Amino acid sequence: MRWICLLIGYFCGSFLTADVVSYHYTGHSAATLGASHNPGMANVMLTLGFKPGMIVLLGDLGKCALAMGLSHWLFPTSLAILYAGLGTIFGHDFPFWRHFHGGKGVACTCALLVMYRPMWGLIALIIGGLVVVVSKKLWIGGIWMPMLCILPWMMQSKEAGLVCILVSGLSLYSFRKDIRKR
């Protein structure tokens, strides 16, 4: 069950909404946009504007919801949501068709946090959002959000806590260049 949900999530996550939006607006991949060349919502919003950025955000949240909903339908347990969400983050961050160079997975991480444990996910999103507003740096909020859920998830089950630690590690890895610039 875990592997099937991971695979469902990975293939859904490998669909990079930013590329579709970027091709529509510019005729080029999102990897050609901005200074970061990141195929994600923040780069699209900075380079193409608010509306294209929101389309990317909705698309990225939608692919997560699709993966987690399909996995939960096949295997009606919260673990199905957990592993599909993890797979979606991996797919977004490391899509096979782009030689494993994808986005940073912030929207996918947010979707997992809220869909797996809504109360803790919303608390993490609110605190992460406040961190972004105060610091004016998306990457700091992107790192803090999953970390805020480690303890509550660990208290629920060790497996969920370990997955949350892995998600936090993926966030740290995705923002490693930003951390070094600090």
Side-chain angles (χ1 to χ4, degrees):
M1 182 271 303
R2 288 167 179 81
W3 286 106
I4 293 170
C5 294
L6 275 169
L7 286 173
I8 290 169
Y10 181 83
F11 285 109
C12 288
S14 293
F15 175 82
L16 297 180
T17 312
D19 267 348
V20 174
V21 171
S22 180
Y23 276 114
H24 175 75
Y25 281 89
T26 69
H28 302 286
S29 168
T32 65
L33 298 178
S36 72
H37 304 289
N38 183 48
M41 182 268 309
N43 188 33
V44 169
M45 191 175 287
L46 284 172
T47 56
L48 300 180
F50 182 78
K51 182 180 175 186
M54 295 303 348
I55 294 169
V56 172
L57 176 62
L58 292 174
D60 285 351
L61 294 175
K63 71 183 178 185
C64 297
L66 174 67
M68 290 183 254
L70 178 60
S71 294
H72 190 261
W73 178 73
L74 290 171
F75 308 101
T77 68
S78 60
L79 282 179
I81 294 169
L82 182 67
Y83 281 95
L86 177 61
T88 305
I89 296 166
F90 270 111
H92 183 83
D93 291 2
F94 310 104
F96 65 94
W97 62 274
R98 288 195 68 209
H99 308 288
F100 304 99
H101 297 320
K104 295 185 178 179
V106 175
C108 296
T109 298
C110 292
L112 169 59
L113 297 178
V114 171
M115 289 184 74
Y116 182 66
R117 289 288 173 251
M119 183 184 76
W120 285 109
L122 288 173
I123 290 170
L125 265 59
I126 290 167
I127 293 172
L130 290 172
V131 167
V132 170
V133 168
V134 170
S135 70
K136 296 184 179 17
K137 296 180 184 193
L138 178 65
W139 66 270
I140 296 175
I143 289 170
W144 272 101
M145 285 184 286
M147 288 184 175
L148 291 167
C149 290
I150 292 173
L151 185 59
W153 287 18
M154 189 68 78
M155 289 170 38
Q156 183 226 334
S157 81
K158 284 184 184 178
E159 185 173 11
L162 292 173
V163 169
C164 196
I165 290 170
L166 181 56
V167 170
S168 297
L170 285 169
S171 292
L172 286 168
Y173 179 79
S174 293
F175 288 107
R176 67 192 179 282
K177 291 177 184 171
D178 299 290
I179 294 169
R180 280 189 213 128
K181 285 181 194 174
R182 245 187 96 214

